[in-house]
Amino acid sequence: MDTEAVRTFVRAAELGQLRHAADELGVTQQAASKRIAALERELDVRLFDRTARGVEPTLDGQVFLPHARNIVTGADRAVTAIRPGSRALRIDVLGLRSAQAVVLHDYWRSHPGTDLDVVTLRADDPGVVVAAVRAGELDASFRSVTDPAALPREVRMVHAFGSPLELLVGPRHPFAAARTLTPAQLRGHRIWVPGIVPRSEWSDFYDQLATEFDLRIDAAGPNFGNEVLLDILADSADVATFVGSRDRYLWPPGHDLRRIPIVNPALVYPLSFMHLRANPHPGLRPVIEHFATLPPLPEPAWLPSWARAPRRDEETPRP
């Protein structure tokens, strides 16, 4: 079996775009398509459905995907075992415009010699991410397991940093002229956060946030992406959304959107960092140490209960 064809399938499945997979692998889209076609002929199944948004694994493709990842990981480990040096430090972020990616970029700018591979694992289930860390597919991931009992002993989760929330509104919104807002001022206003995945860490976060401050957080409707969300905010007089203070958002000048900090208390989304305890990549320690150099959180600050609870690493060691 052609391992590069399997690798192309895995990246296309994770990225959802054959063109993006081809760009990442340094081949043309035509070459990537030929690899997939040859793999489908060898397996005698169709691996992808083509959609207007890109590609999605078929049922056979979904079944094959975890095994394909193991093939790619095994091939990479075999090469690494005989190649001098080590591969790039591979870290998973939620998105390339997210606060995690911004912090990693700042780290890389101050350490330009770092061989860093920033990836976005297309998985909302934290169990899938933990499995990727355990298998060595990822050196680390900015994800959280909100139930400590669900975290395998060999995986370590440390606090990375907190991301204070800001309210993003259009020029016609009642809060458009505000310089800061308190959680109490947000009560009764529609805060639209489409795409909240049930049982995900951000679902838990927003559930606790809404309960604690009696907020109207609306997750209704499909998530068509940031561009559509920003268009809706620009035209709306009553819809707002939350964004992280370090998250990067770009919009046309005519949108005239405003980012308003939340204070007294600041509403903070906690970012964790998961990696294997044993034999971590040598590049991990400097990244973790970089988190300690980030500015402290504003005071007072609210965090969800699972961020305030003692982490496994903070508990009393077993005898």
Side-chain angles (χ1 to χ4, degrees), residues 72-125:
V72 172
T73 300
D76 287 344
R77 286 176 174 172
V79 172
T80 300
I82 61 173
R83 176 179 292 167
S86 60
R87 65 165 173 77
L89 176 64
R90 186 177 300 152
I91 299 179
D92 164 57
V93 298
L94 287 175
L96 296 180
R97 292 183 179 176
S98 66
Q100 308 100 305
V102 172
V103 167
L104 278 183
H105 183 241
D106 290 342
Y107 171 79
W108 181 82
R109 289 177 60 193
S110 61
H111 301 77
T114 303
D115 193 7
L116 185 62
D117 185 9
V118 181
V119 302
T120 54
L121 187 64
R122 291 167 59 88
D124 297 314
D125 183 351

Side-chain angles (χ1 to χ4, degrees), residues 253-287:
H255 278 23
D256 194 22
L257 302 183
R258 295 95 187 275
R259 299 176 66 146
I260 308 167
I262 312 298
V263 298
N264 295 323
L267 307 179
V268 178
Y269 191 98
L271 279 306
S272 300
F273 196 65
M274 295 193 299
H275 65 87
L276 279 177
R277 293 175 180 273
N279 301 317
H281 191 290
L284 269 179
R285 178 51 52 188
V287 173

Side-chain angles (χ1 to χ4, degrees), residues 13-308:
E14 292 173 345
L15 296 173
Q17 292 278 348
L18 193 59
R19 175 173 57 84
H20 293 169
D23 290 343
E24 182 176 298
L25 297 172
V27 299
T28 66
Q29 183 171 342
Q30 183 181 18
S33 182
K34 287 182 177 179
R35 288 180 180 180
I36 298 296
L39 186 60
E40 289 177 328
R41 286 195 298 271
E42 182 175 358
L43 297 173
D44 196 27
V45 297
R46 184 165 51 86
L47 295 173
F48 284 120
D49 285 323
R50 272 66 176 178
T51 71
R53 293 182 296 175
V55 293
E56 293 181 357
T58 62
L59 180 58
D60 286 325
Q62 294 175 43
V63 172
F64 182 60
L65 182 57
H67 303 289
R69 286 194 178 112
N70 288 338
I71 292 171
V72 172
T73 300
D76 287 344
R77 286 176 174 172
V79 172
T80 300
I82 61 173
R83 176 179 292 167
S86 60
R87 65 165 173 77
L89 176 64
R90 186 177 300 152
I91 299 179
D92 164 57
V93 298
L94 287 175
L96 296 180
R97 292 183 179 176
S98 66
Q100 308 100 305
V102 172
V103 167
L104 278 183
H105 183 241
D106 290 342
Y107 171 79
W108 181 82
R109 289 177 60 193
S110 61
H111 301 77
T114 303
D115 193 7
L116 185 62
D117 185 9
V118 181
V119 302
T120 54
L121 187 64
R122 291 167 59 88
D124 297 314
D125 183 351
V128 173
V129 182
V130 170
V133 172
R134 294 180 75 183
E137 299 171 17
L138 299 171
D139 293 304
S141 174
F142 282 99
R143 308 290 181 114
S144 297
V145 175
T146 59
D147 178 9
L151 189 67
R153 191 69 196 177
E154 62 269 30
V155 176
R156 182 172 184 244
M157 186 173 71
V158 299
H159 174 69
F161 61 92
S163 180
L165 297 187
E166 297 174 338
L167 193 73
L168 183 63
V169 301
R172 298 170 53 211
H173 195 278
F175 291 143
R179 301 188 65 178
T180 61
L181 290 165
T182 66
Q185 290 175 286
L186 302 181
R187 289 174 185 154
H189 291 270
R190 182 189 178 197
I191 303 170
W192 190 37
V193 188
I196 297 178
V197 179
R199 296 180 297 278
S200 63
E201 63 180 88
W202 47 93
S203 173
D204 192 355
F205 174 84
Y206 282 116
D207 283 347
Q208 292 194 32
L209 183 64
T211 300
E212 180 77 15
F213 296 101
D214 192 23
L215 299 185
R216 181 188 170 197
I217 296 177
D218 180 7
N223 181 11
F224 287 103
N226 289 337
E227 289 77 10
V228 172
L229 174 61
L230 298 177
D231 289 344
I232 291 173
L233 293 176
D235 293 334
S236 176
D238 62 353
V239 179
T241 195
F242 280 133
V243 296
S245 60
R246 288 188 178 91
D247 294 344
R248 286 179 175 158
Y249 285 85
L250 303 175
W251 55 80
H255 278 23
D256 194 22
L257 302 183
R258 295 95 187 275
R259 299 176 66 146
I260 308 167
I262 312 298
V263 298
N264 295 323
L267 307 179
V268 178
Y269 191 98
L271 279 306
S272 300
F273 196 65
M274 295 193 299
H275 65 87
L276 279 177
R277 293 175 180 273
N279 301 317
H281 191 290
L284 269 179
R285 178 51 52 188
V287 173
I288 294 173
E289 291 174 350
H290 176 70
F291 299 149
T293 70
L294 299 176
L297 291 175
E299 292 291 346
W302 175 89
L303 293 96
S305 61
W306 44 269
R308 299 191 298 264

